């Protein structure tokens, strides 16, 4: 399966967000990654359902919403109504993970789980048969343009091995500090979907996306 690239609009220019979404879609983005932050779970505030709704009509590219909020269960319906295709929630948030996953599925959205860099894979493993996506963070969430954490690579390999062994239909996504140098590392470790904010936006979106995809594909080919 080819590697998918999910540009994160957190690094887009917000004064022309619509245009940037269009640029990413025309450049061949497989998904559009949308970082939702509540100022509690992480020390930053970003976008809410109104923004998602406003850009929904621009493209048919699936919206991949990453919820960095304390109580994700409270926002499931609002983001589903705004038109997201998947919703990933942190195991570290304050919620009943199984219930939130079910609530996401029940509104017709694909559920996913997220692990912070310090959280062991074990904390997600038992939920994986019920989700479509596992997102492994390679930076501490909250801000774009942080340095990639090499120490997370073993966890990506561990997740890949587990998903394969159990033959789960769960995609493995990686987010944080992905650029031309680090994309090959995560692709070789077994990631299926690469999120990139500052590696793609705001300028030369098409060229950046193409170069990132090529670097990742070369590494994935070596792995296969
Ligand atoms: C960080 C966000 C990431 C961020 C990635 O909290 O979850 O999606 O936008 O940005 P880069 O690729 O610049 O690290
Ligand atoms: Zn993210």
């Amino acid at each position: 399966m080819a590697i998918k690239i999910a540009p994160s609009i957190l690094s887009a220019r917000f004064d022309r967000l619509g245009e940037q979404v269009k640029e990413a879609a025309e450049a061949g983005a497989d998904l559009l990654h949308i970082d939702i932050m509540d100022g509690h779970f992480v020390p930053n505030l970003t976008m809410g359902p109104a923004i998602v709704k406003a850009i929904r009509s621009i493209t048919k590219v699936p919206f991949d919403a990453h919820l960095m909020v304390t109580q994700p269960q409270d926002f499931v319906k609002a983001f589903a109504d705004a038109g997201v295709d998947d919703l990933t929630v942190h195991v570290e948030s304050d919620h009943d993970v199984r219930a939130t996953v079910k609530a996401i599925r029940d509104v017709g959205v694909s559920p996913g789980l997220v692990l912070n860099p310090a959280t062991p894979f074990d904390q997600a493993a038992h939920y994986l048969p019920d989700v479509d996506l596992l997102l492994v963070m390679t930076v501490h969430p909250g801000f774009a343009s942080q340095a990639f954490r090499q120490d997370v690579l073993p966890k990506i390999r561990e997740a890949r091995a587990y998903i394969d062994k159990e033959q789960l239909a769960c995609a493995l996504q990686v987010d944080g500090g992905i650029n031309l140098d680090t994309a090959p590392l995560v692709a070789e470790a077994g990631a299926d979907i690469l999120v990139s904010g500052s590696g793609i936006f705001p300028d030369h979106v098409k060229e950046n996306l193409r170069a990132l995809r090529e670097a990742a594909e070369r590494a994935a080919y070596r792995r296969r």
Side-chain angles (χ1 to χ4, degrees):
M1 195 178 66
I3 295 224
K4 292 184 174 172
I5 308 290
S8 165
I9 59 170
L10 186 59
S11 298
R13 279 190 52 169
F14 286 175
D15 60 338
R16 47 184 188 83
L17 184 57
E19 272 170 57
Q20 293 250 274
V21 165
K22 212 168 159 207
E23 278 176 71
E26 285 170 359
D30 298 288
L31 302 165
L32 217 56
H33 186 82
I34 306 178
D35 288 302
I36 316 292
M37 306 186 189
D38 68 350
H40 296 283
F41 184 71
V42 290
N44 195 5
L45 281 166
T46 56
M47 298 159 258
I51 305 274
V52 175
K53 197 172 172 200
I55 57 172
R56 183 62 284 185
S57 59
I58 295 172
T59 175
K60 289 194 164 39
V61 173
F63 281 3
D64 162 41
H66 174 192
L67 277 187
M68 286 157 277
V69 305
T70 336
Q71 296 185 321
Q73 66 278 18
D74 294 352
F75 298 99
V76 169
K77 186 161 186 315
F79 283 105
D81 289 347
V84 302
D85 295 274
D86 69 65
L87 261 180
T88 57
V89 294
H90 276 260
V91 299
E92 303 88 358
S93 291
D94 180 13
H95 63 136
D96 174 342
V97 173
R98 223 171 267 289
T100 307
V101 164
K102 184 176 182 305
I104 296 171
R105 187 79 78 189
D106 286 349
V107 289
V109 170
S110 272
L113 287 182
V114 195
L115 293 174
N116 276 338
T119 308
F121 171 68
D122 294 0
Q123 295 204 16
H126 50 293
Y127 299 117
L128 294 192
D130 298 326
V131 298
D132 298 336
L133 192 61
L134 174 68
L135 169 52
V136 175
M137 294 303 298
T138 40
V139 298
H140 199 74
F143 300 90
S145 304
Q146 303 181 75
F148 176 83
R149 295 182 51 150
Q150 296 256 3
D151 58 324
V152 183
L153 284 170
K155 185 163 64 181
I156 300 169
R157 291 191 202 102
E158 185 184 2
R160 175 78 278 153
Y162 184 89
I163 290 168
D164 290 350
K165 179 167 78 64
E166 301 293 322
Q167 298 184 310
L168 300 174
C170 174
L172 181 57
Q173 185 178 42
V174 175
D175 180 10
I178 304 293
N179 54 35
L180 292 180
D181 295 326
T182 57
L185 304 178
V186 296
E188 255 190 296
D192 301 308
I193 306 172
L194 273 50
V195 174
S196 179
S198 53
I200 291 180
F201 288 113
D203 301 315
H204 312 297
V205 170
K206 188 170 189 163
E207 293 78 3
N208 292 341
L209 202 152
R210 187 192 300 137
L212 200 63
R213 193 189 292 288
E214 280 173 11
E217 275 300 333
R218 270 197 301 275
Y221 185 77
R222 282 199 295 275
R223 180 180 175 267
R224 285 175 198 135

